């Protein structure tokens, strides 16, 4: 899978790309993530990428032209299955959408900055508008990193324990159950005995009931969805 990220702040993605799962995915050749600096696609002497908004008001708007040039340059090299714009007014990201994105071959992620991009870019090119939550970040780079990480870890072979991604919170519509590691006793608190029993069927039952309980208490909205579809 290939992810092309278009940004005016490429340095913001350096530590994300240089670490963890995403780095491993890239070095294994399973995922390619290329970052494109919008300033390389400007035609003005000052490498201008934004301007004042028509109608007045605070905040700059990202110019259509450098974005369009960058997108068209990428599109001339390969076919893209999705062109995603990170924006707080997009559709709130959920695991189901991440799963669907992870099945695509080539995607572009456009990071917004300042007041966002000229609306005509959205009309002309964007296939999905994605928000990572109901709060406003100073720019779309962190949101693009969140989305890329969530996608990359689902690509087969990226996570060494194949089943681990499937047992994440949300994958079955429930939050994940609690987990423990050594020591068995820590500061007077002990690991639930069932986990030490070696009885895998019973352990799975326990995990499932804990997942249900946790979801019911912490996310009644998810719990309701789960009971509606499973009972
Ligand atoms: N850019 C700024 N805030 C954002 C958010 N919440 N989600 C996606 N992109 C953003």
């Amino acid at each position: 899978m290939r992810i092309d990220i278009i940004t005016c702040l490429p340095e913001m993605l350096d530590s994300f790309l240089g670490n963890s799962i995403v780095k491993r995915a890239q070095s294994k050749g399973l995922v390619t993530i290329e970052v494109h600096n919008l300033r390389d696609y400007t035609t003005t002497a000052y490498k201008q990428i934004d301007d004042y908004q028509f109608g007045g008001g605070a905040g700059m708007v990202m110019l259509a032209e450098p974005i369009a040039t960058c997108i068209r340059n990428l599109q001339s090299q390969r076919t893209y299955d999705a062109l995603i714009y990170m924006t707080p007014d997009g559709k709130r990201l959920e695991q189901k959408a991440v799963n669907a994105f992870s099945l695509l071959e080539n995607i572009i992620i456009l990071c917004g900055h300042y007041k966002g991009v000229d609306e005509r870019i959205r009309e002309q090119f964007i296939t999905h508008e994605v928000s990572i939550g109901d709060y406003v970040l100073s720019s779309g780079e962190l949101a693009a990193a969140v989305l890329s990480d969530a996608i990359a870890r689902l690509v087969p072979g990226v996570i060494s324990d194949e089943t681990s991604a499937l047992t994440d919170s949300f994958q079955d519509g429930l939050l994940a159950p609690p987990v423990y590691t050594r020591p068995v006793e820590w500061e007077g608190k002990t690991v639930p005995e069932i986990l030490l029993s070696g009885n895998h069927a019973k352990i799975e039952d326990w995990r499932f009931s804990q997942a249900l309980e946790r979801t019911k208490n912490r996310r009644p909205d998810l719990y309701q969805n789960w009971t509606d579809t499973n009972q």
Side-chain angles (χ1 to χ4, degrees):
M1 160 168 220
R2 179 182 170 110
I3 304 175
D4 287 281
I5 303 179
I6 303 176
T7 168
C8 56
L9 289 173
E11 319 78 47
M12 269 190 86
L13 294 161
D14 286 351
S15 80
F16 160 67
L17 293 171
N19 286 290
S20 75
I21 294 274
V22 172
K23 185 177 179 191
R24 184 144 33 108
Q26 292 223 74
S27 52
K28 280 187 184 171
L30 299 168
V31 178
T32 302
I33 302 183
E34 291 281 333
V35 176
H36 307 274
N37 188 347
L38 261 187
R39 285 181 209 278
D40 296 339
Y41 297 87
T42 54
T43 45
T44 58
Y46 297 107
K47 295 192 175 289
Q48 185 183 359
I49 50 151
D50 60 355
D51 210 333
Y52 295 101
Q53 56 178 314
F54 281 123
M60 306 293 273
V61 175
M62 289 167 72
L63 293 170
E65 200 53 40
I67 299 173
T69 306
C70 182
I71 292 174
R72 290 198 171 111
N73 181 281
L74 290 170
Q75 285 177 329
S76 72
Q77 296 170 53
R78 64 193 66 77
T79 302
Y80 285 91
D81 309 302
L83 223 153
I84 305 164
Y85 175 48
M86 305 310 299
T87 174
D89 63 12
K91 184 164 186 221
R92 201 158 43 175
L93 187 62
E94 291 187 356
Q95 188 66 46
K96 210 189 290 175
V98 176
N99 294 352
F101 287 139
S102 78
L103 299 174
L104 303 178
E105 205 160 316
N106 300 311
I107 65 174
I108 291 175
I109 303 179
L110 172 64
C111 305
H113 203 49
Y114 321 112
K115 276 281 171 202
V117 300
D118 189 304
E119 187 66 19
R120 290 165 292 186
I121 284 293
R122 298 168 77 155
E123 292 165 8
Q124 186 74 15
F125 294 108
I126 300 299
T127 59
H128 301 74
E129 300 189 329
V130 172
S131 162
I132 62 160
D134 288 344
Y135 43 82
V136 180
L137 301 165
S138 0
S139 64
E141 282 72 19
L142 292 176
V146 166
L147 177 61
S148 306
D149 181 280
I151 293 173
R153 62 195 298 286
L154 295 182
V155 172
V158 169
I159 294 187
S160 30
D161 175 1
E162 290 287 350
T163 60
S164 143
L166 295 175
T167 54
D168 289 336
S169 279
F170 301 113
Q171 268 309 1
D172 54 6
L174 295 174
L175 301 183
V179 291
Y180 299 85
T181 184
R182 276 183 284 227
V184 170
E185 187 181 334
W186 176 77
E187 298 199 351
K189 295 173 186 292
T190 49
V191 173
E193 231 167 86
I194 182 81
L195 296 178
L196 311 172
S197 69
N199 184 332
H200 293 293
K202 282 215 162 123
I203 290 173
E204 277 319 300
D205 285 350
W206 180 86
R207 286 185 170 147
F208 178 62
S209 67
Q210 291 286 317
L212 273 183
E213 196 57 28
R214 201 159 249 208
T215 310
K216 190 173 170 185
N217 293 335
R218 297 180 184 190
R219 291 291 304 272
D221 56 323
L222 285 182
Y223 184 74
Q224 189 62 48
N225 275 347
W226 188 87
T227 48
D228 288 350
T229 46
N230 290 279
Q231 274 168 7

